[in-house]
Amino acid sequence: MADDYDAVIVGASLAGCATAILLGRAGARVALVEKQPDPGAFKRMCSHLIQASGVPTLKRLGLLEPIEAAGGIRPGMRIWSRWGWIEAPPERGGEGVNLRRELLDPMIREAAAGTPGVELLLGHSAELLLREGDAFAGVAVRERDGTETELRARLTIGADGRESAIAELAGVKTKTRPHGRFVYGAYFEGAGNPAASTVWMLDPQFAAAFPTDDGLCLYVAMLTKERLPEFRHDPAGTLVEFLAAMPDPLPIRDLRQVGQLLGKIEMPNKVRVPVAPGLALVGDAALTTDPLSGVGCGWALQSGEYLADSVAPALVDGGPLEHALARYRRKRRPLVRHAYFINDLATGRRMNPAERMLFAAASRDEEIATWIDHLGMRLIEPQTIVAALPRAIAANTRHALSRR
């Protein structure tokens, strides 16, 4: 049995659904394949943060208002370093979106399923990539009862996460970089939860608190691997004590844990070649980075938008797909540049002299604080550091002179 589509997308989470919605709106026929049979399935190991760079994509998808109606919040960001707190002026700081994945994932999946031209196939697992000559031409999928179907399409899209089966089946080139930290976290509720996304940079240890809907906040500790034995016996209790020892701590001991403790020991960062003839990868399938950076959700949405905008004309009008895929690869280069710096810090190293200078200056100068905020929210690219350095040097010099 064979079905013909313009695109078949494997993975109906954020990246896959965003791609499907935008392709469907453009007039493409899309098969959206998801191995989980439950439409309410959601990703559990996630900071739930959509950074400010991903908010325009949410607006375009028509999801920002439903997210806010579901209790999603628009927090800013504050960072502690040993030089003090870093916070952009409220009117200049970036605003992300926080909504738990158990609410967000079903919402975007429902939006995709309701988009004309999109067919959501739940409970189907991708087993084999189809080929026509040198190009990929769809996937063979299997339902839970064993029924097999060939879904043929001009474009096959892997949106199936960090351990992408589509990337493995396609044999795309993958560069893996080790992650030098592990993470434990849990949701807590109580009156002491912060209003802003909060990060403690202890250099090289990290902690963070990400407030979200229903009065909950996700607290996480991300520590270098030599600290792992401390968590072996009582990870939940050790997490609370570690967070309680933060500078200017939140009252974590007075809060109540909600739900299970989350933890992950191995989190290698992966950068994959995102295109091949008849094939594209989006979201974590193309690029996985340190979860502490909080870019996964936003980049999933953005990469889906980049791909849909690049290939929709070719898919709908029958134009050449090769140039469209090359356009997608160019569009996502800013994400790769951010990932280079994120993955370097994820090794567990300490701050280098330039980073120490910038973070010290950011605690003393609102322009540098705004630069740090916009970099952390991925509103600007890392190379803008060149423009920030002179002002950072001046701010630190003024501070040093004032202390004489």
Side-chain angles (χ1 to χ4, degrees):
M1 184 169 62
D3 293 299
D4 291 327
Y5 299 91
D6 296 308
V8 56
I9 303 172
V10 178
S13 190
L14 301 186
C17 288
T19 309
I21 291 169
L22 296 175
L23 285 178
R25 288 181 185 174
R29 297 163 300 147
V30 181
L32 181 58
V33 177
E34 171 54 51
K35 66 180 179 181
Q36 297 293 338
D38 180 7
F42 63 95
K43 184 176 180 180
R44 296 179 183 276
M45 192 66 194
C46 180
S47 67
H48 70 238
L49 169 66
I50 299 174
Q51 294 188 335
S53 61
V55 173
T57 308
L58 278 180
K59 291 180 179 178
R60 182 177 174 187
L61 292 169
L63 291 173
L64 185 56
E65 289 186 2
I67 285 173
E68 292 176 333
I73 63 172
R74 304 291 309 278
M77 181 174 67
R78 59 198 299 260
I79 301 171
W80 184 93
S81 74
R82 64 187 179 93
W83 299 277
W85 284 102
I86 299 170
E87 232 175 325
E91 69 278 7
R92 300 179 62 189
E95 286 189 332
V97 174
N98 285 8
L99 183 72
R100 284 175 296 156
R101 294 292 297 270
E102 63 184 278
L103 300 176
L104 178 60
D105 287 15
M107 181 186 297
I108 194 171
R109 196 170 293 126
E110 182 180 2
T115 302
V118 177
E119 183 179 358
L120 176 61
L121 303 173
L122 296 174
H124 290 66
S125 60
E127 302 292 324
L128 179 71
L129 286 174
L130 308 177
R131 290 179 178 266
E132 287 185 4
D134 294 332
F136 295 101
V139 295
V141 299
R142 177 177 296 157
E143 297 179 55
R144 295 171 72 84
D145 64 5
T147 302
E148 295 187 358
T149 307
E150 288 187 353
L151 305 175
R152 295 194 169 271
R154 285 191 67 202
L155 180 62
T156 304
I157 301 170
D160 51 342
R162 176 185 288 267
E163 305 302 330
S164 172
I166 295 301
E168 292 297 319
L169 290 170
V172 299
K173 184 178 179 181
T174 303
K175 183 181 293 185
T176 301
R177 298 189 62 179
H179 196 298
R181 297 185 178 89
F182 66 96
V183 61
Y184 278 104
Y187 283 97
F188 288 80
E189 65 177 3
N193 281 333
S197 295
T198 304
V199 177
W200 289 267
M201 300 184 67
L202 304 180
D203 193 23
Q205 317 303 338
F206 285 83
F210 300 110
T212 188
D213 59 279
D214 204 25
L216 297 177
C217 183
L218 177 66
Y219 289 83
V220 298
M222 185 169 284
L223 311 180
T224 49
K225 294 285 180 66
E226 71 270 12
R227 301 285 299 268
L228 185 58
E230 301 173 29
F231 284 76
R232 293 290 190 190
H233 176 65
D234 180 17
T238 306
L239 172 67
V240 169
E241 292 308 309
F242 178 79
L243 292 166
M246 291 298 99
D248 295 338
L250 298 167
I252 185 70
R253 292 195 186 99
D254 298 330
L255 305 178
R256 186 177 72 86
Q257 182 178 331
V258 177
Q260 65 182 13
L261 182 74
L262 305 171
K264 200 166 182 66
I265 307 302
E266 297 298 333
M267 302 174 290
N269 302 304
K270 296 183 179 182
V271 181
R272 295 185 173 100
V273 175
V275 298
L279 179 81
L281 303 175
V282 292
D284 282 352
L287 182 64
T288 61
T289 61
D290 185 350
L292 181 67
S293 64
V295 297
C297 293
W299 284 7
L301 299 168
Q302 288 174 262
S303 62
E305 181 178 30
Y306 295 158
L307 179 61
D309 288 346
S310 298
V311 303
L315 292 178
V316 174
D317 300 331
L321 199 53
E322 178 183 358
H323 298 304
L325 290 174
R327 188 180 308 117
Y328 165 60
R329 190 169 185 175
R330 291 193 299 271
K331 278 178 173 286
R332 60 185 298 280
R333 283 175 183 167
L335 309 186
V336 178
R337 287 193 284 268
H338 275 290
Y340 175 84
F341 289 93
I342 292 170
N343 293 344
D344 180 54
L345 191 59
T347 59
R349 67 166 177 81
R350 299 182 69 89
M351 286 186 185
N352 61 40
E355 290 163 342
R356 291 196 295 271
M357 180 185 66
L358 285 164
F359 276 86
S363 67
R364 302 159 182 162
D365 184 282
E366 70 175 28
E367 288 295 329
I368 303 300
T370 301
W371 182 86
I372 291 286
D373 178 278
H374 287 188
L375 181 67
M377 287 286 191
R378 312 304 157 184
L379 294 171
I380 57 175
E381 291 197 46
Q383 64 267 26
T384 59
I385 186 176
V386 175
L389 285 174
R391 188 177 182 102
I393 293 171
N396 289 334
T397 301
R398 287 194 303 270
H399 177 76
L401 292 173
S402 71
R403 292 173 62 87
R404 288 185 178 179

